[in-house]
Amino acid sequence: MRLVAGNWKMNLLPNEAVALLTALREGLSKRDARRAQVLICPPFPYLTMALDLLNGLPGVGVGAQQCHHAASGAFTGEVSAAMLAALGCSHVLVGHSERRTLFGETDEVVRRKVDAALAAGLKPIVCVGEHLEVREGGRHIDNVVHQLEAALGHLTEMQMEGCTVAYEPVWAIGTGRTATAQQAAEMHAALHACITRHWPNLQSPPPILYGGSCTPANAAELFAQPHVNGGLIGGASLKAPDFLSIVNAAE
Ligand code: PEP
């Protein structure tokens, strides 16, 4: 089953978040939940509100946009994976390119956050993706496969089955410039091949989502590519009709 996850990033005031969640609740209650899984990742202060307002909708979960890698302690301003799990979150984004670029998250930090998420019973959505100059230099496949290996290479098959991968070319995030279906297909095939090489006995391989300026206009074509198992949606997740239309494209 495909997964469509909305990453609100640091957007919306509380009244706007309630309005969006209410519209999503209305739209998502009308669909056949057996056809695609939906995840909403709002900012931390809105997690409880999202859990309450989306409560009981089949196939709809709430996730966080990041967590700290330590279990607890003196980390002012940070949030642990165990706190998120205890609230009722099912997933957490790890290694989003904005975290890597703006907050200095290295491959090592991403790996530790994956471990923290799994230890707390959360499903990490591990984001990988190349910068434009890497693609232009023809090194995008190696670069992205390396990011996946660095974040997940140490996991057992059972742990790997609790993970999701999101391929997000950095040059496509929030730019309106999306990967072509062919570019997405090429990378997803490479990631799938890497996963089956490292973990040959997986019962259910981690879904691989595409993210980067995914909109109602391009979602269906992207989701139709082999090994594209859904999407991670930024800007378009802030408008209920757009997000619902992308969910519909996944169904
Ligand atoms: C993202 O930030 O994960 C993302 C995919 O953003 P956008 O859809 O706005 O490109």
Side-chain angles (χ1 to χ4, degrees):
M1 201 188 333
R2 293 204 180 98
L3 168 65
V4 178
N7 172 16
W8 291 7
K9 312 194 186 189
M10 195 177 74
N11 289 299
L12 307 180
L13 291 172
N15 61 323
E16 297 167 323
V18 171
L20 178 53
L21 288 165
T22 306
L24 290 175
R25 178 175 181 88
E26 167 74 10
L28 293 170
S29 62
K30 292 189 193 124
R31 71 192 189 107
D32 180 350
R34 287 167 303 185
R35 300 180 61 180
Q37 209 190 336
V38 174
L39 183 75
I40 305 297
C41 301
F44 289 134
Y46 307 152
L47 284 173
T48 306
M49 182 198 288
L51 284 158
D52 286 347
L53 282 168
L54 302 175
N55 183 30
L57 282 180
V60 180
V62 174
Q65 297 174 16
Q66 82 106 9
C67 65
H68 195 265
H69 50 75
S72 64
F75 299 100
T76 301
E78 289 293 330
V79 171
S80 74
M83 291 174 191
L84 300 170
L87 278 184
C89 293
S90 54
H91 293 70
V92 61
L93 303 181
V94 178
H96 189 281
S97 69
E98 286 151 18
R99 301 290 319 170
R100 292 180 192 253
T101 309
L102 304 172
F103 300 96
E105 285 189 10
T106 59
D107 282 342
E108 166 67 12
V109 169
V110 172
R111 187 180 62 75
R112 291 170 72 182
K113 290 189 176 198
V114 167
D115 289 346
L118 289 171
L122 289 175
K123 292 175 186 293
I125 300 180
V126 180
C127 303
V128 291
E130 81 284 2
H131 286 265
L132 187 58
E133 59 275 17
V134 173
R135 176 165 285 271
E136 286 174 348
R139 290 173 287 114
H140 49 289
I141 302 270
D142 282 354
N143 178 241
V144 172
V145 165
H146 171 80
Q147 287 175 38
L148 182 133
E149 287 170 339
L152 303 174
H154 63 297
L155 298 184
T156 64
E157 254 140 7
M158 219 166 97
Q159 289 173 314
M160 195 59 182
E161 288 180 1
C163 296
T164 296
V165 174
Y167 168 54
E168 300 205 300
V170 180
W171 46 271
I173 295 180
T175 59
R177 180 177 168 191
T178 190
T180 62
Q182 210 179 1
Q183 288 171 326
E186 179 195 38
M187 187 63 80
H188 282 244
L191 290 170
H192 177 78
C194 167
I195 290 168
T196 48
R197 196 170 54 244
H198 271 265
W199 296 273
N201 300 314
L202 285 173
Q203 301 293 315
S204 68
I208 310 175
L209 313 182
Y210 170 79
S213 298
C214 188
T215 65
N218 58 30
E221 193 191 3
L222 288 162
F223 296 165
Q225 303 311 308
H227 308 301
V228 176
N229 309 121
L232 179 54
I233 318 299
S237 72
L238 296 171
K239 294 189 189 117
D242 286 3
F243 187 69
L244 292 168
S245 157
I246 294 171
V247 170
N248 191 42
E251 292 175 343

